[in-house]
Amino acid sequence: MEAEFEDLLGHDEVRAWLASQDLEIPSSREAEFFRLLDVDGSGKLSLDELVSGVARLKGPARNMDLSLLSIELRQMKEHMSQLVRAKIP
């Protein structure tokens, strides 16, 4: 689904809609953008995820960057927890 989403982002109409929402997504960050929208991690976007995600991320690039950092921090925390659990007998 992520590849389909990236293809969709290639359409001028979709780019124009995102731009109207103050979201400029460089092609190098399309996969990250998808991850931010796919809050349930299903690999598929619901209409609700798309609308609420765009509303959450719209604005300056800082918002997207902060959201990405938040996801990465949660992932690191989970990995650290797994490491600690693996070392405790």
Side-chain angles (χ1 to χ4, degrees):
M1 183 64 150
E2 187 175 317
E4 292 172 15
F5 182 74
E6 290 177 17
D7 289 342
L8 185 65
L9 290 177
H11 294 292
D12 291 337
E13 298 86 1
V14 174
R15 288 280 181 190
W17 178 72
L18 289 171
S20 75
Q21 303 300 310
D22 294 324
L23 281 170
E24 299 287 338
I25 313 301
S27 58
S28 62
R29 301 196 72 187
E30 290 174 353
E32 294 169 336
F33 182 58
F34 180 86
R35 281 188 14 218
L36 289 173
L37 296 175
D38 182 24
V39 294
D40 66 2
S42 67
K44 299 178 183 178
L45 288 182
S46 69
L47 181 58
D48 183 53
E49 284 177 316
L50 178 63
V51 171
S52 63
V54 166
R56 184 179 76 247
L57 297 172
K58 68 191 272 183
R62 293 189 301 267
N63 292 342
M64 185 171 165
D65 292 334
L66 289 174
S67 294
L68 283 169
L69 285 173
S70 177
I71 286 174
E72 290 172 7
L73 182 59
R74 274 183 282 176
Q75 290 172 343
M76 287 176 57
K77 182 179 175 183
E78 179 58 32
H79 288 234
M80 293 298 289
S81 294
Q82 290 172 357
L83 287 172
V84 168
R85 283 192 299 264
K87 292 191 179 223
I88 296 176

